[in-house]
Amino acid sequence: MDNKHIRNFSIIAHIDHGKSTLADRLLEITGAIPPGGRKQYLDRLPVERARGITVKAQSVSLLHADERTGETYLLNLIDTPGHADFSFEVSRSLAACQGALLLVDAAQGIQAQTIATVRAARSRRLALVPAANKIDAPNADAEATSEQMRAAFGADQMREVVPVSAKTGEGVEALLAEHESLEA
């Protein structure tokens, strides 16, 4: 495959903002796993299954046929932990990436680990694609979350925030279409 059709990226966020659920949805949309399969597919360690959190970064390669261009892309996704105790895993993962999907829970907004992961990504000069997740939650406010992200991380440096629900899949196709923003 031509290098211009390869993207290496991570999903970064605070703990419980939906990284692993988004990874599951991306796996489903690209046909890597069947719809409705096992939840938290990339969380394979017994401690991850028991605690319901990602401890070790996991990677997966996905083929994505872009309907707009007719081109096929190889998307190498690294699902990273969100807990601060595992920030070394995030840092190691980002070293292999061209960009990152920045996920923020639209009900909780920016949290401490959100800021830490954005700093880590920016220190590596990674392209960031921001998304407001959990827009299906009763108290979600994607617009306020978008404004908060623009204020915290610089409106001039922030792409348009994509509203998504990793749980239902709403908006995830639009987020997947942002792969071009992750190009080196």
Side-chain angles (χ1 to χ4, degrees):
M1 181 168 279
D2 190 335
N3 281 345
K4 70 179 184 174
H5 290 102
I6 299 173
R7 307 287 185 266
N8 300 317
F9 70 100
S10 277
I11 301 173
I12 57 173
H14 188 76
I15 189 169
D16 290 333
H17 279 212
K19 292 173 303 303
S20 295
T21 303
L22 179 60
D24 286 349
R25 209 61 54 231
L26 293 172
L27 288 164
E28 286 180 1
I29 288 171
T30 59
I33 63 172
R38 185 178 98 185
K39 292 182 193 266
Q40 312 291 294
Y41 186 81
L42 295 176
D43 289 342
R44 296 176 179 231
L45 297 175
V47 68
E48 293 174 321
R49 308 288 305 149
R51 293 179 64 190
I53 62 170
T54 302
V55 172
K56 182 159 180 51
Q58 293 290 325
S59 62
V60 64
S61 294
L62 311 167
L63 289 176
H64 170 60
D66 189 326
E67 293 177 5
R68 297 169 300 160
T69 64
E71 301 283 342
T72 298
Y73 292 83
L74 176 63
L75 307 177
N76 296 311
L77 162 66
I78 303 173
D79 181 28
T80 61
H83 196 283
D85 288 350
F86 307 109
S87 59
F88 182 70
E89 279 291 309
V90 176
S91 178
R92 283 184 33 206
S93 299
L94 294 178
C97 294
Q98 298 162 305
L101 300 180
L102 169 61
L103 210 56
V104 174
D105 183 319
Q108 293 183 9
I110 293 172
Q111 302 291 311
Q113 198 59 22
T114 312
I115 295 167
T117 56
V118 168
R119 284 184 181 150
R122 284 195 169 157
S123 74
R124 297 201 173 273
R125 293 183 169 84
L126 300 183
L128 293 177
V129 175
N133 191 27
K134 301 187 182 184
I135 59 171
D136 57 311
N139 55 344
D141 188 342
E143 190 172 314
T145 301
S146 176
E147 287 304 315
Q148 183 186 35
M149 291 171 77
R150 294 177 71 72
F153 304 127
D156 59 328
Q157 298 178 18
M158 186 63 52
R159 288 181 168 81
E160 191 69 31
V161 177
V162 181
V164 301
S165 169
K167 181 179 175 182
T168 68
E170 182 181 350
V172 177
E173 286 277 1
L175 187 60
L176 189 58
E178 290 290 324
H179 66 81
E180 290 181 4
S181 300
L182 301 172
E183 185 175 12

